[in-house]
Amino acid sequence: DSGVTQTPKHLITATGQRVTLRCSPRSGDLSVYWYQQSLDQGLQFLIHYYNGEERAKGNILERFSAQQFPDLHSELNLSSLELGDSALYFCASSVVPSGGSYEQYFGPGTRLTVT
Amino acid sequence: GENVEQHPSTLSVQEGDSAVIKCTYSDSASNYFPWYKQELGKGPQLIIDIRSNVGEKKDQRIAVTLNKTAKHFSLHITETQPEDSAVYFCAATGGGGGADGLTFGKGTHLIIQP
């Protein structure tokens, strides 16, 4: 158990809908990273939040957004869902005090199915 | 941006033998190289990592080597056991002062034959 929690475990929804995925980082970790894992694209970095502020963006679509709250949990919002958004979504947390690269610990993931 | 290539995509070894997985990266600014193990239905689990100021790191049966000049790094697993069967991912990062996420290889499916 990495100490990172994600809810829900599974999510089934229809095209055009909007969903919110939730992540709680390990105790003491200030950074949350979101990743998407699909068969064709592999594991891809989406976005990084540190202590409530956006730090870096990866291959995140404009239909997707994220935020990190004062209690450090993070939410990933996916809107206008398409069939191709079906994937596993992971969050990872890291200490990252002020810079430099540190260990990232992954949660169990949310499996999103868009029908 | 960073690009990570990983080989082989599938590796089958006899129990007790060694397994080696190789990765190359493109961005000379990358300075942190972790390896993850992913079992079916689970999230990636960090098993070992190496930073660019170190050439080799070992943890029991697992070792990682880094050649900065050639931009290569490798995972070595000795005395393989059935529980080593999983998908292994290499990754690299270091851009953006550490803010950027990990760039992953495509993964290696390691099969341990009894």
Side-chain angles (χ1 to χ4, degrees):
Chain A
D1 185 356
S2 66
V4 178
T5 60
Q6 288 186 250
T7 56
K9 287 190 97 162
H10 303 276
L11 200 47
I12 302 174
T13 190
T15 53
Q17 294 299 304
R18 172 189 169 95
V19 297
T20 297
L21 313 183
R22 183 187 169 109
C23 167
S24 292
R26 296 185 321 158
S27 177
D29 284 357
L30 300 178
S31 270
V32 171
Y33 300 80
W34 285 97
Y35 293 86
Q36 181 194 59
Q37 186 175 35
S38 61
L39 278 174
D40 52 342
Q41 298 292 328
L43 262 165
Q44 287 201 98
F45 165 61
L46 297 178
I47 197 163
H48 170 204
Y49 271 81
Y50 172 74
N51 203 19
E53 293 192 7
E54 182 185 303
R55 286 291 309 275
K57 273 185 172 179
N59 298 321
I60 189 165
L61 299 171
E62 283 194 14
R63 300 183 285 108
F64 295 2
S65 65
Q67 53 186 327
Q68 187 179 27
F69 295 86
D71 67 353
L72 301 176
H73 90 271
S74 178
E75 293 180 355
L76 180 67
N77 301 297
L78 316 177
S79 62
S80 303
L81 285 167
E82 301 174 0
L83 295 177
D85 298 327
S86 296
L88 275 165
Y89 291 85
F90 291 104
C91 75
S93 78
S94 177
V95 60
V96 188
S98 59
S101 301
Y102 286 80
E103 298 86 347
Q104 293 184 27
Y105 296 91
F106 280 71
T110 293
R111 180 175 292 279
L112 174 65
T113 303
V114 183
T115 62
Chain B
E2 177 64 277
N3 183 50
V4 176
E5 300 281 343
Q6 182 172 348
H7 300 280
S9 56
T10 304
L11 179 59
S12 181
V13 302
Q14 289 294 124
E15 183 178 347
D17 286 351
S18 295
V20 180
I21 302 170
K22 299 184 178 183
C23 291
T24 60
Y25 63 99
S26 62
D27 188 352
S28 55
S30 288
N31 58 11
Y32 176 64
F33 307 91
W35 286 86
Y36 287 85
K37 174 184 181 183
Q38 188 175 25
E39 295 174 290
L40 202 59
K42 296 187 176 180
Q45 174 195 359
L46 179 66
I47 56 172
I48 196 168
D49 57 13
I50 192 167
R51 297 182 191 280
S52 57
N53 58 348
V54 174
E56 184 172 357
K57 184 176 177 181
K58 199 170 180 181
D59 182 5
Q60 298 183 339
R61 298 187 296 110
I62 295 174
V64 58
T65 58
L66 171 66
N67 182 328
K68 272 174 41 180
T69 305
K71 295 183 191 164
H72 287 174
F73 58 116
S74 300
L75 178 72
H76 305 252
I77 305 174
T78 59
E79 300 171 17
T80 52
Q81 299 169 5
E83 54 264 36
D84 294 330
S85 293
V87 179
Y88 291 80
F89 293 93
C90 62
T93 191
D100 289 353
L102 298 169
T103 299
F104 284 89
K106 293 290 188 189
T108 296
H109 186 193
L110 177 62
I111 301 164
I112 308 301
Q113 303 278 8

